[in-house]
Every structure is written in structure tokens, then in C-alpha cells.
Amino acid sequence: MADAACNEGSRRRIVIVVLLVLLLPLQTSCQQSTTKKLYVVKEEAHDSIIYSYKHGFSGFAAMLTESQAQDIAGSINGAAELTPTTRGVDLTTPACFTASISIHYAASYLSIKPSSVHRLHTTHSQDFLGLDYTKPTGLLHDAKYGDGVIIGIIDTGIWPESASFSDDGLGPVPSKWKGTCQTGQEFSSNQCNRKIIGARWYDKHLTPKDLEGEYRSARDANSHGTHVASTAAGALVPNVSFHGLAAGYARGAAPHARLAVYKACWGQGDCSEAAVMQAIDDAIHDGVDVLSLSLGLPSSEYYTSLHAVNNGIAVVFAAGNDGPAPRTVTNASPWVISVASATMDRAFPTVITLSNSTSNFVGQSLFYDTDDKNYNWYEVYQSSCLFGTPETSNVTLAAGKIVLCNSPSSVSLISPTILPVWNILLAVNALKEAGAKGIIFAAYAFDILDAVESCGSMPCVLVDFEVAQQIKQSADENTALLVKVTAAQTWIGGEVLAPKISAFSSRGPSPLYPEFLKPDIAAPGSNILAAVKDSYKFKSGTSMACPHVSGVVALLKALHPDWSPAIIKSALVTTASNEKYGLPILADGLPQKIADPFDYGGGFINPNRLVDPGLAYDVDPKDYIALDCDSANSSCESAYKNLNLPSIAIPNLKQPTTVLRTVTNVGQADAVYKAVVQSPPGVQILVEPSILQFSLSKKKQSFKVTFSMTHKFQGGYLFGSLAWCDGGAHYVRIPIAVRPVHSSSSSFHCKHPTLWSPNTTIKHQKSKEAALESIIYSYKHAFSGFAAMLTESQAQTIAELPEVRSIKPSRVHPLHTTHSQDFLGLDYTKPTGLLHDAKYGDGIIIGIIDSGIWPESASFSDHGLSPIPSKWKGQCQAGEAFRSNQCNRKIIGARWYDKHLSAEDLKGEYRSARDAHGHGTHVASTAAGALVPNISFHGLAPGYARGIAPHARLAVYKACWGLGASCHDAGIIKAFDDAIHDGVDVLSLSIGKSGDEFFSSFHAVKNGITVIFAAGNEGPAPRTVTNALPWVITVASATIDRVFPTVITLANGSSSIVPKDNNWYEIHHSSCLISNGEKINASLASGKIVFCYSPLSVSITSPFGYVSLAVKAAKEAGAKGIIIATYGLDILDYFEKCGAMPCIFVDFDAVGQINSSGDENTTPLVKIAPARTWVGGEVLAPKISTFSSRGPSPLLPQFLKPDVAAPGSNILAAVKDSYKFQSGTSMACPHVSGVAALLKALHPDWSPAIIKSALVTTASNDRYGLPILANGLPQKIADPFDYGGGFIDPNKATDPGLAYDVDPKDYDLVVNCESANSSCESIFQNLNLPSIAIPNLTMPTTVLRTVTNVGQDDAIYKAVVQCPPGVRISVEPSVLQFKQGKKKQSFKVTFSMTHKVQGSYLFGSLAWCDGAAHYVRIPIAIRPVVSENYADL
């Protein structure tokens, strides 16, 4: 019937009708009555029914035309109307669709809507959970392995012949079972047994095409359902492995539980909601105890699951696989258990050996042993392997080689999940066809090894970028690099840092229900070995985590048959773990972070603890029914807030808010519990009463939790917990998530020449003398050398000369791209402080190596300045549109370097120091711009513009050219050389390139010049920081406490949702992914506000990569404005091209309000007010900018980088004759350059190392008592790889107390060091830097440091240590005493592991405190490494 309906030309599709009568048991007579009524309306409609729901609720699914559906909607309830479309479902398109349903709790109420399609989320784990099969104690034993409990699996079916479904040793089928074993294609009734006690399948909604390659039965063609079922309740099966890997017994979490199979998912895992609803309905009838559903769809919920819960069935869902982006969690209904995925303590180390190295590198793979065990050597071919992009590698060069796939900058824009799954699959197929002998993939997170399963016996190894960089550096220019790869091994145990939340695991908050904290719990979901047809294979996903919890729930149900689903959920959440071996659980992402409740809810599941939780948060099913209310209703808000869940979420804390909870004593009758509160930063929590006393007659106790803000600010979510402790075994902890909102706004927004490049003018020069005539720059002040335009042979000739130390091609470096001064505490009007005491930087010369300068800008006025400092030896080089008299007492010198450029490079440029790009002018005015009144950007950010050191002088070196502001090595090195000669005090370089370092900066530092570099704009991915040399100051970017809120008013009266046009406009929804080939439909967008909303796509791309394309497309389509939903709001200058058209960033918290503003029959209207300027402490700042590059350095991990953070987001400064916003570490760099100039003016005897030490050791890690956060996917508390020592505090830096000075000779040792040398390692770690980084802590390691007293002569300092988790630090001596003749003191810092664990970087600090004003703190980063035969990936 379904097939016929789908093939008719009458535009039929599946429609779900739900009849509800106050959730009372539904009588047959009621159903008959309803059916008669339907016949009256349309008999042929009734004939099209494919599924009938009667056990949990009353309703049906039918294949109907739109008119038939409308007739039914109007006939049963005149007020009900058919929804013509749902998101992603178009009722005007002739096709068969699948389902989504909204439940209403009013008598005789009908809902009717099209069915939508939901997708599946894609064994040592039981031992990792403590479920020891052989132990005579514990949950598994006490629950009789789950015997008697029935787990319903709604999935793709089952493969009954698998050994995992043997019923050996099981008792009879439980008497409560009322189900059936439905036969079908290759599935007979006798294939059910005492393990698989029932099977049903649902295909009435499918077409013949849907069924291609499928079994019309409960048999599993996909294998997903088989894997899930065996994970939940598979029998004990010996001698299982994947080609020898992970060998041992396979078993489910509840191996004696019974399985009821409901095949509602078909093909590649498409699950029709019509079928899923029928499966839930049947499961209620059949008598299952637990329902496990490893499926879901973003922005959709299975409300029918409530009926199962009301019937005492615990329902467990997968949380989704769209992480690590926030607000991606699915299946967030409060009555279900939503499960996140985590790793476990099993790895598959794979050794990579290089032909030219004595050390091995280690990755992970599923490369299994071949019969001959003859591991051959193969040449390495390097490639980006981005086969899904236009940057396709030349696969013909890969034949017969091992391919190193290494593209860190591209991966930084791609989810760590997407790369291993999607790009690896494309690369494997392409490279296998090309005849490659193996692949080495570099990526950030490796939770999904099954992505390389298709490699078979060809080695496909996943490595981190540190390993990839070392392999790359091992290659020699003249000889091919050879490698061999040995088969993977299995490593199990506590040395593997686990669990970690999987990168792919979806994160909270729920975009639909932010009032309910989700996910609830985490369980093993990465690289799970379980049954697939007749074999066993690895799969990863929250789909794999879900059945682990389902199995544990079955064990609990067996042990506590009287426990409600709510109590079971409470026990899971309140006993979950937040740490392992004393180390906090981490969450993989970009970057990795310490996990919070939006990653794992209560924590990682702890089965043996949850058998006795002490207290439980139970829920009366009637309270769930009360949730069926209008979310805008105040009573609804109260119902949501006070639902008795084992968690608390307050998405908008505007004023003191009280939440009610009740706990039930399920432990010892007489017990006293005390409240233990961990308040979110900046939030005060009061619990009344704070002591609960229970007795035999008093099983329940209620309490109030009141939340208030200690400081008014606008922030992201903050996390804490509330626990009830009885002083014994019970610590009943629930997670808390609070989002402070101050104000009525709930969010704001806020060619390549080389040193030997062929050139026609020198092509025929043959002698060495002729080659030397091609010199374009000569370096003589810092070191002896030159740059020349040479052929390759000429370069080779010069390289062979004995007096030549090195020769290399000149590379091209990109530029990294005013209230900030006040935010830093540099008050221009104050008669005290650094700015005043340093005379505003007068007498200090700041050299700017950049794209030039616009001399006419008011920021470069020399009004009020004294004569040019006498030490200045530079010049003002004239050129195109730049006269020598355009230098003055502010711009005291200018040089430019174009000898290396072609005519093409100079198009649109000035052959002078004049800035055609704007970048150099912006940087220079930020560092040392004069005081300029009445500055704003079209009225925004009005006030005075000024530089950090407004009286400092500027020396301009134009080494960057063209619209892209490309900066060549040759020009930059010449600029360094000239700056040393000219007498600058500070050099500011907002430039850099991943993989390159400016070693020429060393000569400037040796000459007493402080050199400041931008850290790069490739964040938030780790290992992207540039300019990581230890003698320079590397600057990260952060936000400031200024935003530009823009009010969007909705036509339904809901206003002030977020941050020139007075009219109302319709909203046109679009993904706006222009770079992917998607267009903004001009016929639909013209005259409207385009709402760019694509959360899953945004989660795998830079928040800013698509903005300019989307704006351009919207303007071309005739749109009246554009609203872009994104995760990062750091760069508003992307909207500069919008002009008068409103272009607005909103976060995803605002999306739900905008989406819900209209109803099903009307399009929402919006009006956008002009932006305002908002400055002050109510803005949560600083935060590390999303784009800011993160450590560790891939080239020099021994030196902790970046060093400090400074304002770099939305900085208003000079650009030609105007003032514009720009963002980037390029903008952060000149802030620090200006502060360095002030410090140099105040302390002219301080060396560059002391200035750097003062900045790092006095930097701030918090503001208003709140930790500094780092924007990313997801947001996290900042660590040293985000901001080094912290956010700069200029006034504190004037008097740091102690300083870590460095003798320039020590830098010489670093420059001349070969990193493979053991003595080199000692030189690196003992370099006297104001930070400590140990990238490979394999054994107790001692580091030496020396501090110089730059404060009061007589002083005593004591060591204050914050140890990284799992690392022990001892300081000798721990007390330092200074006096007039004793300015320097040395000490030793020894690091050792408290627990042997192979881990990621861990962070801590060492501070010297004098008990008064000085707290001299340096950051520490440690990476424990247990063995060379395993790497944590």
C-alpha cells in the first residue's frame, strides 16, 4: 500500500496524526469512535494508514495528499491546522518523507504533520567501566548480569547468527514479554531465541528504491543495529579481535539481558519518525524495560518517548555527533538520558621509523600484521591530501610511496571529526587507486580509528602535528626520506590518559531546550569493537556510547526493579566521575580543554557507584506533562526551572533566581547530608536548608537554591555544582550551568623570488663575480650577508664558498592583521601610573616593519613633541608621493625595500614608504599615535584616538607590499639591519608565517632592541603559533570591554534579543555557504533580511571565512540586511563593506528566539536599530580571540608560546585619512610594543629579557574574580597556550619585583644548537625564560632558573606552586633572600609524574611571593610521556 501511494501522481506523503486524551489509558471504543469520524471525513484517507499507535498514545501515520491531511485536521478539531512545511520538508514536492511529531496534552486535540527522517549516530570498554565479569561482587554480579531485563533496540535490525546473540546458559524468556518475532526476508521465527526474544520491522513507508540492498525483515543490512545490540547486551564470546588487535572476550554491558529488536532504520541509517513512533508504541506493549535509540536529528525531539517513560521504561538516546561545536546536542527532552561519547584506556600504537634517524615516531592505526612481516622502506611524498577541496594533490606522484598528509592551516578550519572521517576516506580511495604504499595523516583529534578501516593491510597511520612536523623536518633537500611502518599493537591500561570526551561528541546547551542541561552523562564511544554481521569491527560515535548506558541501566533495573526512570537517571548523573587518577577529564576540540557539563553532563559513568547513590532526584510523570506550555509564559518558565532534574541550568540569569528541588533517600534510612557548593565564577549560590536530615518516616526532603550575580556582567555560560555529602560513601553531585545576562539584551555582538630565483636580467651571468653584482640588499650591522637575485646554479656556486655559512630562498610572509588603552589602565589624564611616569614614551623610538605609513594622518602629528632624539642615525627616504619633509618629530625616519619586487608586485603600490594597504598605518597609530579628538567610526566608539605611547617616535620600514601585504624575507632582514644601525629601541612586527622563524631578530635583541611579534591568526587550532623564538615577545589577541549591541525587534513584540533602517522586513533563511557553491536566491531574498543559519556547517569552518562572501551575495540579491549566526564574535570589521545595510552577528542563543518568533502560517518580521557603543565592566572581557593562534610551537615546543595577550579584536585606529576597525594579532602586537616603549622610557637600563619578564610575570589570569576565557569550538578557560603568562597589566609591569634576565650569549647557544643533540635539550630547558615548557616528561627532570631583584633591596620571596594535574613540582630553595649585594638568586625546579600516564599538555605555574605587592608568576606547560612506543593522539 505504501509503495503504491508513493508512486501515485497525487503528491502523497507520510503524515502523522496524534490523538491524545489526557494521557489516560486509551479504550478500544474511543479508537473506534475516532475511526468512524475519520471515515466520515475521508474514507480513502483512512485506507492509507500505514502505522497505528495505540499503546502509548492514540494516533496513526498515513500516506495522504495535502488536501486529505487538511480535511482530517479540520474535521477532528476545527482549531487544528496542517502544518504545510517543516524544516527540511516541503509538502509541495512529490516524495515520500519520514517523521517528526509534536505532542499536545489536551483532550480531543489533534496534531498532524509530515514525517521527517532521522539519521543514526554512528571490547574492553566494559572492563574500563569496572564491570568485571569474573568478580563475585559489584553491579554486574549483583544484578545477575542483567538477567530478566529486556532491552529494546530501535535501530537497523540485527544479525541473528552472530555469536554475540547466543542464548547459551540463559533461562526462559521473561514471562512479562508480550512481543512477537516477526518473520521476513532471510529471518525466520526460529532465529529468535532466549537472547533475541522478539523482532519487528517497519517498511510500510518505504519505496522500492529505499529497499534496494535491504532485507524486508529485521535482518540488519547496515550493521549499525547489530553493533549497538551486541554492545548493550551481547553474550560472552571468546577469541574476538580485529585482525589480532584488541584481542580477548567480546561482551555487552548486560550480557544476560534479553534483546527486543525494532528495525525502524533502513539503508544508510535513515530512520523514519513514523516507524520510530510505531516501534516505541510496540515496545510499550511488548513489555521492554529499557529502550536504546542511537539515532537523532538536530533541532528535533522524540516527544513520543515520554509515553514510554510514563510506562516505566528508561529511554536512552545518543547525544549526536556534531561536536565539538556548542549547541549541537540532540535528544534533549528532560525525561530521557542523553549520552555523550568518550575515549577509553586502549590505544593502538604504530611505530614509524625514518631511515635517517635513530628515534622512532609513534601514531595510531588499525594496520594489522601481514603474513610475511616484511616491512619495506618507502619514500615519503608530502601532500595536503585535501581531496574534498580544489587543492587536490597530484596523486600520480604518490605511486609506490608513503604519503604524509599534512595541512595544519586547513585542518584548523575543519572539525577534528570531519577530517578523519570525510577527508581521510577521500584520501584513502584516491591514494590507493594511485598505488600508494601507505598514508600518514596529521590531525588534531583521533577519536575515530574506524575511518581508516578501508585501508586494509595498507598502513594508514594517524599522528599529531608535532610528529608530522618532525618527520617533515627530517627530510633532506638532496636525498629522499625513507620510512617504514610496523603493525599496530594493542595497549591497555592507566598509562593512556582516558577518558576524554570525543571530539565528535555533540555539546550543550540544547538549542531547543537550554533550560535542561544536556547531555546527561558520558560513556565509551570511540573505537568500540563489537559485532558486525559474522565478524567484529570498530565503530565510533555517540551511537556506541548510548548502548553502554542502556546496558548499565538494564543492570540497575535488575538490581532495583522498583526504581523509576527518573531515579535511574539521577543515579547515573549524581555518581558520575569528573576525574581519573586525580587528573581532570579533558574534552577534545579546537583546542582541547578541561571538560564541563556541556561536554559530559554529570561526568563519565561510574556503574559500581551508582548502585548506591544515597539520594535521588525523582520526577512525578505529571510534572513532565506540565512542560507542555508556551515557553514565553511565566508559569512555563517556573515549570521548566523547577522540574526535579539532577542538574540545574539557568540560560538567562538577570536577577536573583530561586530553583526548587526535592531529593528522595534511597540509601540508609537515618542519614544527615550537608550541602557542598562549587559556585560558578561570579555567581553566588545559597542553599536552604543546607542540612537535610532523613529518617525511616521521612524519605523526601525539599530545598531551595538561589542564584545571584556577584558582579554585573554579560557573559557566556559558567559552571559549578551542588553536592549533598553524608560524610561517608555518598557524594550526591549535580552539575550547574548559569549564563549571566545583565540588561534587557540577552546577547551581543557583538611571483615568489628567492635568493636564487631565475631572472631574465641575470640569466646569462656565469661567473661568481657576475652573481655578486646581483646583490639587492647588503646586511652589515647585525651580521654579514646579502640578498641577491640569482639563478639556482649561481646560488649553488656561492653556497660552496668557505666564507658562506648558509644560503636559502627568500620567503614571503603575510601580515597578521580606542578604548583599548583605557582598558589596559593607561589613563591619559592621571598624574600617576606608567603612562605619566614614562612621560608618555617620549625619547623612545619604535620601529615598525610593515606596509608603510600614511603621513598625513592626524595620528602622526608632532605637535607638542620635543626634538628628535640625538641617538637617531636613520634617514627619511623619499619616493613616490612621499617627500623627505613628510617625516617630522613623530615620524622621524622612513625606509622602503622594493629591489626584490617585480613590476607585477608593485601594481597599485607606491614606490615609497607611503602605505597603500592601511595595515602599517593602523599598527603604527596603535603603538604610538598622537592624541586625536572627535574620532569615531560613523558615530561608533567615539572619543579620543591615541597610541599606547603617544609621545614615542616612529621609524617606518616598509617591507610589505601589495593588496595582500606580502612581506619578503629579503626586505625584512634588511629592515632589521637598518633598524639596528638607526638606533631604534623597540621593533614591532605584525607579520609572520606558519613554519618560519625570523632568526635575524636575534641580532636586534643582542643590540638591546626589544622585538615584539604577532602570534598569528590561525586559531583556535593548537600548534599554530608563529614567531616562537625565545628572545622575542610573541603576542596573542584578546577582546576588550567594548561592544556594539544592535537591537533586533520582532513583530510579535519580543524585542531586545541581541546586538539603518526604520522599516519592518521579512526574514529569508539561508545557509549562506557561498564558498560551497550555494547561492542566496535573489527572488526570495530581495527586500528581506537574510538570516544566515547553518550551525553544523559553521562548526566545521572558521566563523569568519564565509562572512565577506555572504555579505557580497546578500547585497547582490537586493537584501535589506543580513544576520549571521556564529560561534565567534571577535571580528566586526568584516562588516565594513556593508555600508548602510545592517549586518549583524548573533550567537546561537538568539537563534531560537528569532526562529520561534513567527508561527507556522506567518513569516516573522524584524526591525533593526542602529548599533550603539557599550563600554564597561558589564562586558565579560578580556577573552582570547577565536582567531588568535595557539601554542605549542610546532617548531620550538621547548619554549612556551605565546608570551602574553593584549587587545586585538575590533581596534579602532588610523587608516589613511580616516579611522577604521581592524582585528588580529597584528593589532595586539603594537599594544605590547607601545607598553615596551613606556617601560624602556621608565627603566632605560632594562634589557629586552627583563622587559619581557616584567610583562609575563605580572600578566593577569582573571578579571573581577572571573577566569579569562578563550573563544573557540567550544569556549574554555584560557591556559598558557592561549595567552602565555596572561593578559598584560602595564601598570603592574613597572615594578615586577623579580626578573628573569638572559645573557645574550645564552641565545647564541640556542641559535647554534642541533635539536637532536642531548646537550641541546639541556640548553633549551635551562634558558632563563619567564616560563617553563617540557614537551616530553619521561622521567624526573630538573630545570634551572635565576631571578634578578629589580625591586626593593632587602626582600624575601617564597615559592608558590600550582602543580599541573598528575605532576609533582619541587623547588629548591623554596625561599629566596635578597639584599643590597645579592641581586641574583638561582633555584632548581624538579618535575616528576605522580601517576604514569601518557597525556596531553597539562598546565600549572610557579610564583615567587614577597607577601606584599609582588607575585612573580611564570606559566608551566608539561606533556607527560610514558614510553616512546605510544603517543597520545
Side-chain angles (χ1 to χ4, degrees), residues 28 204 304 499 736 837 896 1014 1028 1208 1256:
T28 305
K204 296 178 182 178
T304 48
I736 292 171
D837 297 345
W896 47 285
V1256 173

Side-chain angles (χ1 to χ4, degrees), residues 782 980 999-1011 1031 1248 1303-1308 1311-1312:
I980 293 169
F999 284 91
S1000 50
S1001 60
F1002 166 57
H1003 302 284
V1005 174
K1006 283 181 70 174
N1007 280 273
I1009 301 171
T1010 301
V1011 181
W1031 48 80
D1303 187 329
K1305 292 177 183 177
D1306 294 338
Y1307 294 139
D1308 277 320
V1311 171
N1312 295 310

Side-chain angles (χ1 to χ4, degrees), residues 152-167:
I153 306 288
I154 301 179
D155 213 286
T156 61
I158 200 163
W159 196 264
E161 294 85 359
S162 171
S164 286
F165 308 124
S166 165
D167 64 355

Side-chain angles (χ1 to χ4, degrees), residues 309-310 312 334-335 557 561-574 613-624 642-647 660-666 694 699-703 732 734:
V309 172
N310 285 337
W335 48 83
K557 193 69 176 175
D562 58 324
W563 278 12
S564 68
I567 291 181
I568 289 174
K569 176 177 175 177
S570 175
L572 287 164
V573 173
T574 60
L615 304 178
Y617 293 78
D618 200 4
V619 181
D620 186 328
K622 293 177 183 177
D623 293 338
Y624 294 135
N642 296 321
L643 186 65
N644 201 43
L645 299 175
S647 59
L660 306 180
R661 288 293 186 272
T662 298
V663 284
T664 301
N665 184 11
V666 293
F694 298 88
K699 291 279 190 181
K700 292 180 182 284
Q701 289 267 35
S702 295
F703 57 92
V732 190
I734 65 171

Side-chain angles (χ1 to χ4, degrees), residues 202-539:
Y202 311 92
D203 72 339
K204 296 178 182 178
H205 59 288
L206 301 174
T207 68
K209 185 172 181 59
D210 295 330
L211 289 165
E212 288 179 2
E214 263 289 0
Y215 300 97
R216 295 194 73 168
S217 70
R219 182 172 291 277
D220 185 8
N222 177 285
S223 76
H224 188 277
T226 300
H227 197 283
V228 165
S230 63
T231 301
L236 190 69
V237 183
N239 303 319
V240 169
S241 72
F242 180 79
H243 300 283
L245 293 174
Y249 282 85
R251 62 183 168 95
H256 288 191
R258 314 308 171 92
L259 289 166
V261 178
Y262 302 89
K263 182 175 177 178
C265 304
W266 300 77
Q268 295 303 309
D270 292 333
C271 314
S272 161
E273 189 167 5
V276 173
M277 288 171 62
Q278 183 68 67
I280 292 174
D281 194 54
D282 285 340
I284 294 169
H285 167 269
D286 293 347
V288 304
D289 299 291
V290 181
L291 266 176
S292 185
L293 297 94
S294 291
L295 46 86
L297 188 71
S299 301
S300 183
E301 295 292 331
Y302 288 98
Y303 299 105
T304 48
S305 59
L306 175 57
H307 302 286
V309 172
N310 285 337
N311 280 272
I313 302 172
V315 180
V316 186
F317 271 101
N321 300 323
D322 293 314
R327 304 177 183 87
T328 50
V329 67
T330 60
N331 302 314
S333 297
W335 48 83
V336 306
I337 302 168
S338 307
V339 186
S341 171
T343 63
M344 57 180 172
D345 63 342
R346 181 177 65 192
F348 304 99
T350 305
V351 177
I352 302 167
T353 305
L354 307 186
S355 58
N356 61 355
S357 175
T358 57
S359 61
N360 295 328
F361 300 101
V362 183
Q364 286 200 62
S365 77
L366 298 180
F367 175 37
Y368 46 85
D369 223 340
T370 53
D371 293 335
D372 57 12
K373 297 188 179 181
N374 181 23
Y375 305 115
N376 296 317
W377 293 93
Y378 295 105
E379 185 179 338
V380 172
Y381 167 62
Q382 297 188 40
S383 167
S384 71
C385 298
L386 297 175
F387 291 96
T389 71
E391 191 183 341
T392 301
S393 302
N394 188 342
V395 293
T396 59
L397 299 177
K401 301 174 183 176
I402 299 273
V403 181
L404 174 61
C405 296
N406 183 22
S407 181
S409 60
S410 299
V411 177
S412 70
L413 304 182
I414 302 173
S415 162
T417 305
I418 298 300
L419 181 76
V421 175
W422 176 242
N423 199 50
I424 285 179
L425 291 174
L426 291 175
V428 168
N429 291 336
L431 294 173
K432 284 183 79 171
E433 290 178 7
K437 292 296 184 178
I439 311 172
I440 300 172
F441 289 99
Y444 291 110
F446 311 110
D447 306 307
I448 310 182
L449 283 174
D450 38 303
V452 296
E453 183 192 327
S454 60
C455 292
S457 59
M458 180 180 82
C460 293
V461 189
L462 303 179
V463 299
D464 66 21
F465 279 97
E466 288 182 30
V467 170
Q469 185 66 31
Q470 292 177 67
I471 294 174
K472 187 177 178 181
Q473 289 176 331
S474 300
D476 186 279
E477 294 177 358
N478 301 312
T479 58
L481 176 64
L482 301 180
V483 301
K484 69 177 178 181
V485 180
T486 57
Q489 301 170 339
T490 304
W491 192 336
I492 294 174
E495 294 176 351
V496 181
L497 185 60
K500 289 199 278 188
I501 303 304
S502 309
F504 57 77
S505 188
S506 288
R507 312 296 163 93
S510 163
L512 290 180
Y513 296 117
E515 302 88 353
F516 308 130
L517 198 157
K518 291 286 178 170
D520 295 299
I521 197 82
S526 287
N527 307 319
I528 304 301
L529 186 65
V532 172
K533 296 187 177 179
D534 294 317
S535 64
Y536 290 81
K537 293 185 178 180
F538 290 103
K539 285 184 182 288

Side-chain angles (χ1 to χ4, degrees), residues 680-696:
V683 177
Q684 185 175 18
I685 297 179
L686 176 66
V687 181
E688 297 180 279
S690 60
I691 298 176
L692 302 179
Q693 191 159 356
F694 298 88
S695 62
L696 192 61

Side-chain angles (χ1 to χ4, degrees), residues 526-726:
S526 287
N527 307 319
I528 304 301
L529 186 65
V532 172
K533 296 187 177 179
D534 294 317
S535 64
Y536 290 81
K537 293 185 178 180
F538 290 103
K539 285 184 182 288
S540 300
T542 54
S543 282
M544 284 64 249
C546 174
H548 281 90
V549 174
S550 301
V552 171
V553 168
L555 296 175
L556 266 185
K557 193 69 176 175
L559 192 61
H560 298 288
D562 58 324
W563 278 12
S564 68
I567 291 181
I568 289 174
K569 176 177 175 177
S570 175
L572 287 164
V573 173
T574 60
T575 61
S577 298
N578 305 117
E579 62 179 22
K580 188 92 169 176
Y581 309 121
L583 302 173
I585 293 175
L586 302 176
D588 277 335
L590 288 177
Q592 188 179 88
K593 68 182 185 72
I594 293 175
D596 61 50
F598 284 160
D599 301 311
Y600 62 7
F604 187 78
I605 186 173
N606 190 336
N608 289 307
R609 274 192 63 199
L610 57 82
V611 297
D612 178 22
L615 304 178
Y617 293 78
D618 200 4
V619 181
D620 186 328
K622 293 177 183 177
D623 293 338
Y624 294 135
I625 299 172
L627 300 179
D628 184 49
C629 56
D630 182 357
S631 59
N633 190 316
S634 59
S635 63
C636 185
E637 182 180 344
S638 175
Y640 282 15
K641 180 176 63 179
N642 296 321
L643 186 65
N644 201 43
L645 299 175
S647 59
I648 298 174
I650 303 178
N652 291 291
L653 180 64
K654 299 179 181 179
Q655 55 197 25
T657 299
T658 298
V659 172
L660 306 180
R661 288 293 186 272
T662 298
V663 284
T664 301
N665 184 11
V666 293
Q668 185 179 341
D670 296 314
V672 177
Y673 285 82
K674 294 182 179 180
V676 180
V677 174
Q678 181 190 352
S679 295
V683 177
Q684 185 175 18
I685 297 179
L686 176 66
V687 181
E688 297 180 279
S690 60
I691 298 176
L692 302 179
Q693 191 159 356
F694 298 88
S695 62
L696 192 61
S697 61
K698 198 173 186 181
K699 291 279 190 181
K700 292 180 182 284
Q701 289 267 35
S702 295
F703 57 92
K704 297 187 296 183
V705 188
T706 302
F707 298 85
S708 57
M709 289 185 279
T710 59
H711 177 78
K712 291 183 177 180
F713 63 92
Q714 188 87 16
Y717 276 95
L718 303 168
F719 304 101
S721 65
L722 165 62
W724 291 101
C725 178
D726 65 356

